[in-house]
Amino acid sequence: MDELDKKFYKIREVAEILSIPASTLRFWESRFTIIKPKRNANGTRLYTPRDIEKIRMINYLVKDKGLKLEAAEQQISRNHSGVSRRYEVIERLQNIRNELSGMLDALNSRQ
């Protein structure tokens, strides 16, 4: 997981962090009740690190698991904590796998 050190992020920054088009973020905001970024006086969306984590969870359900938007919304509303924990575990395992692959590559290059 990227370290989120700012209090608020603009939509462009969130799109870059998550590798998701800004248009997808705006669309998901209209479809998912859990995405409610604050807006400044100019109407610019301001996402908190917690908002970004919610979007990551939606991205996991829609892109990785292949759920349709309605199914993802139902999954989140019925079992938010379970989905969140499952996503966190999978993310940790992917990070461990990447680290191990990097170590293996480093060992192979030394031989």
Side-chain angles (χ1 to χ4, degrees):
M1 179 179 97
D2 297 332
E3 198 58 42
L4 302 174
D5 55 357
K6 292 170 49 176
K7 190 172 182 178
F8 293 104
Y9 294 83
K10 293 181 179 180
I11 193 167
R12 176 186 43 80
E13 296 170 310
V14 175
E16 288 175 13
I17 290 168
L18 301 177
S19 300
I20 299 172
S23 59
T24 300
L25 292 173
R26 287 189 294 273
F27 178 70
W28 283 355
E29 180 185 332
S30 71
R31 297 297 304 264
F32 290 93
T33 58
I34 65 169
I35 303 175
K36 295 290 180 208
K38 296 183 185 320
R39 291 183 183 249
N40 66 12
N42 296 330
T44 304
R45 291 169 175 85
L46 300 173
Y47 294 87
T48 64
R50 180 132 171 86
D51 292 330
I52 295 171
E53 288 308 311
K54 290 176 186 177
I55 296 167
R56 281 183 201 229
M57 186 172 47
I58 291 169
N59 191 47
Y60 161 72
L61 290 172
V62 173
K63 302 289 184 178
D64 296 343
K65 289 198 67 175
L67 294 179
K68 294 187 178 195
L69 297 180
E70 296 81 18
E73 176 78 22
Q74 288 176 353
Q75 187 92 6
I76 290 168
S77 65
R78 288 183 186 160
N79 188 13
H80 184 273
S81 61
V83 172
S84 179
R85 281 192 301 256
R86 192 174 323 124
Y87 164 73
E88 289 170 6
V89 167
I90 289 171
E91 185 178 36
R92 273 191 238 132
L93 289 172
Q94 288 173 339
N95 288 338
I96 291 169
R97 182 182 199 180
N98 291 339
E99 285 182 35
L100 290 173
S101 293
M103 289 178 195
L104 185 59
D105 291 343
L107 283 172
N108 288 335
S109 68
R110 297 190 105 196
Q111 292 177 344

